[in-house]
Amino acid sequence: MGVLEVLEQERIPISAIVGTSIGGLLGAAYADGISIRQLCELGRKVSVRDFVRFQRAGRGAQEHDLIGRFVREWFHAGRVEELAIPTAIVTTDLNTNAPHVFMRGSIEVAVRASCAFPGLFRPVEHEGRLLADGCIVAPVPTATAARMNGDCVLGVAVGSNTVNASSPENAVRVFDRTLGRLHHDELEPSWRRHADVILEPEVHHIEWNNFSRVDEAHAAGVEAMRRALPQVRELLARRYSLRASEDSSGQTQNRLSL
């Protein structure tokens, strides 16, 4: 949210938003016109038990699903292709261990699948696929962003932290450590190659389930984006000049894919 706020303040247009997991939820919400202030206020009210309750509820669990309820109550658009900013929500197809990207279809299904972290949420069944959290195969989905033709691909890597809590968080702790090693050893070089600018806000000290520290996370995003602004502006200006020289009209606008 802090990164988006700075881009908004600096009037740097965003051509596309690509999100994995909570990034899919927040990115789609922003693309739908929900303000950063509203999203931060919501974060302050959320407890991890609102999410855990979904896993335990069994039949009729959707009634207690905070993610689905948020989408239904807050979003104006019902489908991904209706969002004001072109958006892609990345999930993991558990049958193929490959990314499954929603650029069309139900926002609620896409977001719930992308946030279905093993140990907290059941996978989402959709059109013959079993979908789970996109972070399993695309922790920072820069490859998808690059395919959406942004002049500058800005990758935001927030990492993750483990928890000091009892079950069901214990399952998350074990999976999170394994996933972290996998990303570092195998996936990190790949997503970094597709990013023109990489932001890594200082949020590693914040546990994933400590939503009360949303303001710290927001401030870290602002700081990281402010530090990167000169690099982003230089890159956009260079690419604008190149395109303008090839386009006699020169009517080209800098755009960024996030």
Side-chain angles (χ1 to χ4, degrees), residues 117 160-164 170-185:
F117 193 89
S160 60
N161 205 343
T162 55
V163 295
N164 298 312
N170 282 335
V172 178
R173 183 187 308 150
V174 173
F175 184 82
D176 187 63
R177 288 174 178 168
T178 303
L179 191 62
R181 288 194 297 270
L182 178 64
H183 289 168
H184 182 271
D185 296 339

Side-chain angles (χ1 to χ4, degrees), residues 17 62 69 72-73 76 95 103 105 130 136 165 221 232 234 241 244 254:
I17 296 177
Q62 190 174 12
R69 190 169 71 234
R72 293 189 296 274
E73 292 180 358
H76 303 291
N95 294 323
M103 297 183 68
L130 197 61
I136 299 172
V232 170
E234 180 183 0
S241 297
N254 299 336

Side-chain angles (χ1 to χ4, degrees), residues 73-107:
E73 292 180 358
W74 284 76
F75 277 61
H76 303 291
R79 297 180 62 82
V80 178
E81 64 269 27
E82 296 171 352
L83 294 170
I85 301 173
T87 300
I89 300 172
V90 182
T91 70
T92 297
D93 186 332
L94 294 179
N95 294 323
T96 62
N97 197 36
H100 178 72
V101 181
F102 283 87
M103 297 183 68
R104 303 182 62 84
S106 166
I107 295 174

Side-chain angles (χ1 to χ4, degrees), residues 210-223:
N210 193 347
F211 301 144
S212 66
R213 301 178 72 174
V214 62
D215 292 317
E216 291 180 59
H218 174 271
V222 169
E223 181 181 358

Side-chain angles (χ1 to χ4, degrees), residues 191-258:
W191 70 257
R192 284 180 179 272
R193 283 197 299 270
H194 293 288
D196 295 299
V197 179
I198 297 172
L199 300 184
E200 297 181 279
E202 294 294 329
V203 294
H204 300 285
H205 61 290
I206 301 177
E207 293 180 347
W208 71 272
N209 62 340
N210 193 347
F211 301 144
S212 66
R213 301 178 72 174
V214 62
D215 292 317
E216 291 180 59
H218 174 271
V222 169
E223 181 181 358
M225 188 64 245
R226 286 288 173 194
R227 287 198 304 266
L229 266 179
Q231 181 185 3
V232 170
R233 289 196 180 280
E234 180 183 0
L235 179 60
L236 289 174
R238 191 162 60 243
R239 295 191 176 178
Y240 173 78
S241 297
L242 178 63
R243 287 181 15 174
S245 66
E246 297 173 350
D247 183 351
S248 58
S249 69
Q251 301 298 313
T252 306
Q253 185 179 42
N254 299 336
R255 298 196 303 172
L256 180 147
S257 184
L258 176 66

Side-chain angles (χ1 to χ4, degrees), residues 144-167:
T144 301
R147 288 195 296 270
M148 295 179 75
N149 299 319
D151 291 328
C152 174
V153 174
L154 178 61
V156 184
V158 298
S160 60
N161 205 343
T162 55
V163 295
N164 298 312
S166 59
S167 182

